Each structure stands twice: as structure tokens, then as C-alpha cells.
């Protein structure tokens, strides 16, 4: 029995039971008090081990349905990223047949999480915004989208504006900057 207690899988099984059944466990409020239970078969460590196998290094037990019970069809071994994306606090967004949490969409789109969460606070339709960006659309920040001229007074026109991500750059300013850099190299 002492070998089992040092086993990663046994520790996981024991912690799972404690959070679901022991009212004195600090995590009971997030599990047992919410009605999350361990199936009868998994009350035996041997049955749990037969269904789940040994816990892989760097993984922990994850309930696929965060409101579901600990049972074979609802559990998997998952890494920290998968666990974080499967938390109750996440905002799931379905777009084009795929459902990801908002932070995963932000990662995929190459934007900051804070930007995506800002859309939510502003009441933006997240699925529409994500779809727009997946199509290659560019969203300029509100403070930049209203500007008609760059800081040096050049007009933002289609020919004079280069868009990179959510930023608009003035091509005339870029040309001036390049000329000045070339002149400074030539003067040396």
C-alpha cells in the first residue's frame, strides 16, 4: 500500500475522492458541494487505474464536461493548457463549427487576450468578430480608426496606408524615415 501512496495516479485518485466527498477539504466547495461525484466503479483505485491508465508526466485528470461527474466517459488526462481552457470561468465561442475559449481564439488570431476580452465587455458579437478576423479582416483600435491623418499630417488614404495587424502606418512617413536613415549611413 505504501508504494501506491507515492504513485502519481494514486495521488490523483485520492485527491479526486477528497474534493468530492470530504466536506473538510478546501476544494469541496468547487466539487462535492456542486454535486460533482465519483462514479461507484471508481471508488476502487484498481478500477480507476484500469479505466484511466497511469497518469502521464505533466498531465492531470480533467473532466470534459466541467459540470459532469468523475467517470470514464467524462475524464481524460490533460496538460495545464487544456485544463485552463476547460475551466468553468472560460468564455466559449463557437465560430465556423469550432468551439474554443476566448483566450484560445486570441492566441490563434495573434491578438492580445485583453483585446478579445475588451470586445466582450463592449458587447461585441464575438463569433462575428472572430469570423471577420479569420477572413483576414483588420480591426483598427477606435482611437486610430477615426484619425484621417498621421501624426505628421499625411492623409490616411488607401495608397498611403499600410496596415499591419491592428496598426495603420503612413507610407509617406516610412519613406521619409528610410531616406533619413540612408543619408545618415552615407554621411558616416
Amino acid at each position: 500500500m505504501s508504494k501506491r501512496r507515492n504513485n502519481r495516479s494514486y495521488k490523483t485518485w485520492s485527491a479526486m475522492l477528497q474534493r468530492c466527498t470530504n466536506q473538510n477539504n478546501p476544494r469541496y466547495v468547487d466539487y462535492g458541494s456542486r454535486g460533482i461525484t465519483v462514479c461507484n466503479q471508481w471508488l476502487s483505485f484498481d478500477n480507476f487505474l484500469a479505466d484511466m491508465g497511469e497518469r502521464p508526466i505533466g498531465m492531470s485528470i480533467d473532466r470534459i464536461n466541467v459540470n459532469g461527474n468523475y467517470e470514464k466517459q467524462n475524464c481524460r488526462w490533460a496538460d495545464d493548457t487544456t485544463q485552463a481552457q476547460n475551466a468553468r470561468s472560460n468564455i466559449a465561442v463557437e465560430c465556423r463549427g469550432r468551439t474554443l475559449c476566448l483566450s484560445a481564439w486570441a492566441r490563434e488570431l495573434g491578438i492580445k487576450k485583453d483585446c478579445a476580452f475588451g470586445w466582450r465587455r463592449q458587447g461585441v458579437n464575438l463569433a462575428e468578430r472572430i469570423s471577420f478576423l479569420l477572413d483576414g479582416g483588420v480591426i483598427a483600435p477606435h482611437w486610430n480608426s477615426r484619425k484621417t491623418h498621421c501624426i505628421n499630417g499625411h492623409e490616411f488614404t488607401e495608397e498611403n496606408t499600410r496596415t499591419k495587424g491592428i496598426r495603420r502606418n503612413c507610407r509617406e512617413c516610412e519613406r521619409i524615415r528610410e531616406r533619413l536613415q540612408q543619408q545618415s549611413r552615407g554621411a558616416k
Side-chain angles (χ1 to χ4, degrees):
M1 187 66 146
S2 63
K3 282 187 179 181
R4 271 193 179 171
R5 290 190 181 170
N6 292 327
N7 177 296
R8 281 190 317 270
S9 300
Y10 183 84
K11 288 178 181 177
T12 297
W13 172 79
S14 178
M16 171 188 68
L17 284 177
Q18 288 296 309
R19 19 180 213 269
C20 292
T21 61
N22 181 355
Q23 293 182 8
N24 296 320
N25 186 293
R27 305 291 312 275
Y28 180 82
V29 69
D30 294 319
Y31 294 87
S33 72
R34 288 183 46 230
I36 294 170
T37 62
V38 176
C39 69
N40 287 335
Q41 186 175 339
W42 281 10
L43 296 176
S44 155
F45 174 68
D46 292 328
N47 291 339
F48 170 79
L49 190 60
D51 285 345
M52 292 296 292
E54 288 290 343
R55 181 179 126 196
I57 294 172
M59 304 285 213
S60 58
I61 194 162
D62 180 49
R63 286 172 296 118
I64 298 162
N65 173 356
V66 295
N67 295 312
N69 296 323
Y70 283 101
E71 53 197 1
K72 183 178 181 178
Q73 54 277 24
N74 191 43
C75 290
R76 62 186 171 193
W77 295 118
D79 60 21
D80 289 343
T81 301
T82 304
Q83 285 269 12
Q85 290 175 355
N86 195 31
R88 280 187 296 151
S89 59
N90 278 336
I91 300 149
V93 181
E94 193 277 326
C95 182
R96 298 185 180 178
R98 294 174 55 211
T99 302
L100 297 175
C101 68
L102 190 53
S103 58
W105 279 118
R107 244 190 327 280
E108 184 170 313
L109 294 166
I111 60 172
K112 292 183 177 181
K113 271 192 316 190
D114 293 344
C115 179
F117 284 94
W119 298 336
R120 181 170 184 258
R121 284 190 300 278
Q122 296 164 7
V124 170
N125 181 317
L126 297 174
E128 284 179 14
R129 178 67 52 96
I130 290 165
S131 183
F132 176 75
L133 292 170
L134 288 171
D135 287 337
V138 176
I139 297 168
H142 69 284
W143 52 266
N144 199 12
S145 62
R146 292 187 202 125
K147 288 185 176 180
T148 57
H149 292 74
C150 76
I151 195 166
N152 294 316
H154 304 119
E155 188 176 2
F156 279 132
T157 62
E158 195 171 317
E159 299 81 32
N160 192 39
T161 306
R162 184 174 60 80
T163 306
K164 184 176 183 182
I166 63 171
R167 293 189 58 142
R168 294 191 302 169
N169 295 319
C170 171
R171 286 194 168 126
E172 184 60 29
C173 288
E174 289 177 347
R175 285 191 284 273
I176 292 169
R177 226 180 346 266
E178 285 174 20
R179 265 187 300 218
L180 290 172
Q181 287 174 348
Q182 288 172 355
Q183 287 174 356
S184 68
R185 282 189 216 122
K188 290 181 182 178

